Amino acid sequence: MTLKDAKVGSTVKVTKILGQGPLKRRIMDMGLTKGAEVYIRKVAPLGDPIEVSVRGFELSVRKQEAENVEVEG
């Protein structure tokens, strides 16, 4: 399952970051690294972006970026 597929109100754990180069570095710089717990706060009305809480701060992630984050939960 990817971060994009996670349900609002759930907490998931990052298992893998897909993609390569600048996209992967950007995702990791936001704090979405393997083992991080992510709480899905809300999704915008049109589905983009997704608002999450990770490592004590709030973050908005685009669907394109969320598709590259595999999670379990």
Side-chain angles (χ1 to χ4, degrees):
M1 166 169 78
T2 65
L3 187 58
K4 178 185 162 200
D5 304 322
K7 302 287 182 213
V8 173
S10 64
T11 300
V12 294
K13 187 174 183 179
V14 178
T15 56
K16 186 176 183 182
I17 305 295
L18 306 172
Q20 32 183 307
L23 177 62
K24 185 172 183 176
R25 171 54 57 200
R26 177 175 161 72
I27 291 169
M28 293 175 71
D29 286 348
M30 289 189 283
L32 295 169
T33 56
K34 187 175 179 178
E37 290 197 355
V38 181
Y39 173 70
I40 313 303
R41 295 176 47 86
K42 58 185 170 182
V43 178
L46 297 176
D48 196 21
I50 301 166
E51 188 174 311
V52 300
S53 293
V54 61
R55 299 183 190 274
F57 63 94
E58 281 136 25
L59 179 68
S60 290
V61 182
R62 294 183 193 138
K63 277 200 278 189
Q64 176 188 1
E65 295 163 340
E67 290 173 338
N68 289 295
V69 181
E70 286 189 3
V71 296
E72 65 180 8

